[in-house]
Amino acid sequence: MTIFRKELRTGAVGFLVWAAVIGGLMAVCVGLYPSMSGSMEDMSALFAGMGDFSAAFGLDKLQFGSIMGFYGTECGNILGLGGGFYAALTAMGLLAGEEGGHTAEFLLTHPVSRLRVAAEKLLALAALIVGLNLVCFACGAGGILAIGEDADWNSLLRYHGALLLMQAEMGALCFGLSAALRRGGLGLAMGLAALLYFAGLLVNLDQGLDWLRFVTPYYYADAARIFAREAMAGPVLAGCALGALGAGFGLWWYGRKDIAP
């Protein structure tokens, strides 16, 4: 597991920065809730009546005045966007970065198969994503306990589980793309994450785009749907299939491609 440990060391600084920023912002948002609770009812009514804007962000379904609605809107968007970008950027540099940094020829001269190289990198990606989500959950849940609010912990755990699955899918897709590139495609990673996020907003706005719920992981990681306990087995299975295809393609293609010197 030498490559696995090496990837964890390489990504440690980035992990700490992203975890501190995302987790810190979540803790701050939760900490602001008590000071805003007095005007929450008016704000909830205002947001719920903003038409398409409310529908796009699920504000017509969430009770923004409650701790769960507030958490899903504020903290959920922070972790959803931040975690998605982190997973995409980290995954995109795993395989393409070796060629772009001209380290692939050194790595692949060692007595280790390409499949093992890619598999250990993929495992390191999974560990980093899980670690980020554990830190962020601790910050969010700790903030709720600190302010003494009564949350629906079952729904909260399901929500964080969906966010973790969404980031894992994003990472797997970018891992597959990374295998097909010869240089790090950080712009492509950011573009893909942003595109899938806006696709999730479009599903909420236009019923004619319902097919996008099987494409974007932001559909099944939506707080309004999870807290309302909507059935999302189809989109979840589609997301798992897309993630598996991305990871599988990355492992397969990296084992057969010509590595640029």
Side-chain angles (χ1 to χ4, degrees):
M1 301 294 284
T2 302
I3 297 171
F4 171 77
R5 292 192 295 271
K6 179 260 183 187
E7 290 297 334
L8 291 184
R9 290 194 299 269
T10 301
V13 174
F15 170 82
L16 292 174
V17 171
W18 280 90
V21 171
I22 298 174
L25 285 174
M26 291 175 65
V28 168
C29 281
V30 174
L32 291 175
Y33 178 78
S35 63
M36 301 172 63
S37 58
S39 58
M40 282 295 182
E41 293 301 326
D42 293 336
M43 293 175 64
S44 182
L46 174 65
F47 285 138
M50 294 179 68
D52 287 344
F53 179 86
S54 300
F57 292 95
L59 297 174
D60 56 336
K61 300 178 182 177
L62 287 172
Q63 295 181 352
F64 190 71
S66 67
I67 183 60
M68 293 298 291
F70 181 82
Y71 189 93
T73 303
E74 300 296 334
C75 297
N77 279 322
I78 291 172
L79 181 54
L81 274 172
F85 279 117
Y86 172 75
L89 291 170
T90 303
M92 192 63 79
L94 285 177
L95 299 178
E98 294 288 351
E99 290 186 78
H102 301 289
T103 57
E105 58 268 30
F106 170 77
L107 174 63
L108 298 178
T109 57
H110 289 74
V112 58
S113 68
R114 290 193 190 185
L115 178 60
R116 181 172 176 179
V117 169
E120 290 196 27
K121 285 176 174 286
L122 184 60
L123 185 60
L125 172 66
L128 290 170
I129 292 175
V130 170
L132 177 75
N133 281 268
L134 288 175
V135 171
C136 292
F137 175 74
C139 291
I144 293 175
L145 293 173
I147 63 176
E149 290 292 331
D150 186 20
D152 182 349
W153 293 103
N154 183 47
S155 294
L156 199 66
L157 285 170
R158 290 175 62 242
Y159 183 43
H160 274 275
L163 288 169
L164 173 60
L165 181 60
M166 178 271 291
Q167 293 165 39
E169 180 186 343
M170 189 83 69
L173 290 173
C174 288
F175 178 82
L177 290 174
S178 177
L181 299 177
R182 297 197 179 277
R183 294 176 178 81
L186 299 185
L188 178 60
M190 295 181 66
L192 178 62
L195 180 64
L196 292 176
Y197 175 76
F198 283 112
L201 300 183
L202 289 175
V203 176
N204 295 339
L205 286 174
D206 188 351
Q207 294 299 318
L209 296 174
D210 277 354
W211 59 272
L212 284 175
R213 70 185 187 275
F214 298 109
V215 177
T216 172
Y218 284 97
Y219 180 87
Y220 62 73
D222 181 72
R225 295 186 178 90
I226 292 173
F227 294 163
R229 299 184 181 276
E230 293 184 13
M232 292 184 290
V236 169
L237 290 175
C240 291
L242 287 173
L245 285 173
F249 173 80
L251 294 172
W252 172 74
W253 186 257
Y254 192 71
R256 67 184 298 273
K257 70 182 294 189
D258 292 328
I259 301 296

